[in-house]
Amino acid sequence: VFERLKDGVDLSRRILVYLDGREVEAREGDTVASVLLVYGDRPYRRTPLSHSPRAPFCMMGVCFECLVQIDGTYNQQGCLVAVEPGMRIERQMGLRTVERA
Ligand code: FES
Protein backbone atom coordinates (compact mmCIF):
# COMPACT_ATOMS: atom_id res chain seq x y z
CA VAL A 1 0.00 0.00 0.00
CA PHE A 2 2.71 2.46 0.98
CA GLU A 3 4.78 1.73 -2.12
CA ARG A 4 2.04 3.38 -4.17
CA LEU A 5 2.66 6.67 -2.37
CA LYS A 6 6.28 6.94 -3.48
CA ASP A 7 7.29 9.55 -6.06
CA GLY A 8 7.62 8.24 -9.60
CA VAL A 9 5.29 5.26 -9.22
CA ASP A 10 3.17 4.87 -12.36
CA LEU A 11 -0.13 3.44 -11.09
CA SER A 12 -1.28 2.74 -14.64
CA ARG A 13 1.64 0.36 -15.30
CA ARG A 14 0.54 -3.29 -15.19
CA ILE A 15 2.87 -5.95 -13.83
CA LEU A 16 2.40 -9.71 -14.24
CA VAL A 17 3.37 -11.88 -11.28
CA TYR A 18 2.78 -15.54 -10.40
CA LEU A 19 0.71 -16.33 -7.34
CA ASP A 20 0.90 -20.00 -6.35
CA GLY A 21 1.75 -20.67 -10.00
CA ARG A 22 -1.16 -18.65 -11.40
CA GLU A 23 -0.47 -15.52 -13.46
CA VAL A 24 -2.16 -12.42 -12.02
CA GLU A 25 -2.01 -8.75 -12.86
CA ALA A 26 -0.79 -6.16 -10.36
CA ARG A 27 0.08 -2.51 -10.66
CA GLU A 28 3.37 -0.80 -10.10
CA GLY A 29 3.60 0.09 -6.43
CA ASP A 30 1.49 -2.83 -5.22
CA THR A 31 2.97 -4.82 -2.38
CA VAL A 32 3.04 -8.60 -2.40
CA ALA A 33 0.59 -8.66 0.53
CA SER A 34 -1.92 -6.44 -1.27
CA VAL A 35 -1.80 -8.69 -4.35
CA LEU A 36 -2.36 -11.75 -2.19
CA LEU A 37 -5.32 -10.12 -0.45
CA VAL A 38 -6.91 -9.30 -3.82
CA TYR A 39 -6.19 -12.52 -5.71
CA GLY A 40 -5.18 -15.11 -3.13
CA ASP A 41 -7.27 -17.96 -1.86
CA ARG A 42 -8.09 -18.01 1.84
CA PRO A 43 -6.36 -18.31 4.20
CA TYR A 44 -3.44 -16.06 3.31
CA ARG A 45 -1.09 -18.48 5.14
CA ARG A 46 -1.08 -21.08 7.94
CA THR A 47 1.23 -21.24 10.93
CA PRO A 48 3.93 -23.94 10.96
CA LEU A 49 2.85 -25.84 14.10
CA SER A 50 -0.88 -25.39 14.71
CA HIS A 51 -1.80 -24.65 11.07
CA SER A 52 -3.87 -21.70 12.28
CA PRO A 53 -5.05 -19.40 9.49
CA ARG A 54 -3.38 -16.00 9.34
CA ALA A 55 -3.67 -12.80 7.30
CA PRO A 56 -1.80 -9.48 7.13
CA PHE A 57 -2.71 -7.21 10.00
CA CYS A 58 -0.52 -4.11 10.27
CA MET A 59 0.63 -3.71 6.63
CA MET A 60 3.72 -1.86 7.88
CA GLY A 61 6.26 -4.49 8.89
CA VAL A 62 5.42 -4.95 12.56
CA CYS A 63 3.25 -8.05 13.03
CA PHE A 64 4.91 -10.62 10.71
CA GLU A 65 1.50 -12.10 9.82
CA CYS A 66 2.12 -11.59 6.11
CA LEU A 67 5.03 -14.02 5.63
CA VAL A 68 5.27 -15.49 2.14
CA GLN A 69 7.75 -17.20 -0.13
CA ILE A 70 9.03 -14.82 -2.82
CA ASP A 71 11.14 -16.14 -5.68
CA GLY A 72 12.09 -19.19 -3.62
CA THR A 73 12.99 -17.36 -0.40
CA TYR A 74 10.78 -18.17 2.59
CA ASN A 75 9.54 -15.84 5.34
CA GLN A 76 9.51 -12.57 3.42
CA GLN A 77 7.25 -9.86 4.78
CA GLY A 78 4.80 -9.41 1.93
CA CYS A 79 3.66 -6.00 3.13
CA LEU A 80 7.16 -4.56 2.71
CA VAL A 81 8.00 -5.91 -0.75
CA ALA A 82 6.82 -4.22 -3.95
CA VAL A 83 5.92 -6.52 -6.83
CA GLU A 84 8.38 -6.93 -9.69
CA PRO A 85 7.62 -8.32 -13.16
CA GLY A 86 7.70 -12.11 -13.18
CA MET A 87 7.91 -12.38 -9.39
CA ARG A 88 6.90 -15.81 -8.03
CA ILE A 89 4.85 -15.59 -4.85
CA GLU A 90 3.87 -18.70 -2.90
CA ARG A 91 1.69 -18.86 0.20
CA GLN A 92 3.23 -20.60 3.21
CA MET A 93 0.84 -23.28 4.41
CA GLY A 94 2.29 -24.85 7.55
CA LEU A 95 5.72 -26.44 7.80
CA ARG A 96 8.21 -26.08 5.00
CA THR A 97 9.17 -29.15 3.07
CA VAL A 98 12.60 -30.13 1.90
CA GLU A 99 12.85 -31.57 -1.57
CA ARG A 100 15.15 -34.53 -2.00
CA ALA A 101 17.79 -34.33 -4.70
S1 FES B 1 1.21 -7.21 7.69
FE1 FES B 1 2.24 -6.91 9.55
S2 FES B 1 4.33 -7.25 9.07
FE2 FES B 1 3.28 -7.42 7.18
Side-chain angles (χ1 to χ4, degrees), residues 33 55-67 77-80:
F57 181 69
C58 71
M59 297 299 277
M60 60 183 193
V62 176
C63 72
F64 286 76
E65 295 294 358
C66 61
L67 298 178
Q77 287 175 277
C79 70
L80 298 181

Side-chain angles (χ1 to χ4, degrees), residues 17 31 33 36-37 45 50 63-64 67 70 78 84 91 99:
V17 298
T31 63
L36 258 162
L37 287 171
R45 71 175 184 98
S50 69
C63 72
F64 286 76
L67 298 178
I70 301 173
E84 299 283 344
R91 291 181 300 152
E99 294 180 21

Side-chain angles (χ1 to χ4, degrees), residues 33-100:
S34 65
V35 171
L36 258 162
L37 287 171
V38 171
Y39 292 107
D41 297 326
R42 302 295 188 264
Y44 179 101
R45 71 175 184 98
R46 288 190 180 276
T47 59
L49 295 180
S50 69
H51 293 256
S52 300
R54 291 288 193 263
F57 181 69
C58 71
M59 297 299 277
M60 60 183 193
V62 176
C63 72
F64 286 76
E65 295 294 358
C66 61
L67 298 178
V68 290
Q69 181 184 353
I70 301 173
D71 291 334
T73 303
Y74 284 89
N75 296 325
Q76 302 296 300
Q77 287 175 277
C79 70
L80 298 181
V81 179
V83 293
E84 299 283 344
M87 181 179 270
R88 295 194 174 276
I89 304 159
E90 305 282 338
R91 291 181 300 152
Q92 295 185 182
M93 305 302 279
L95 287 174
R96 293 179 2 182
T97 57
V98 177
E99 294 180 21
R100 295 175 187 248

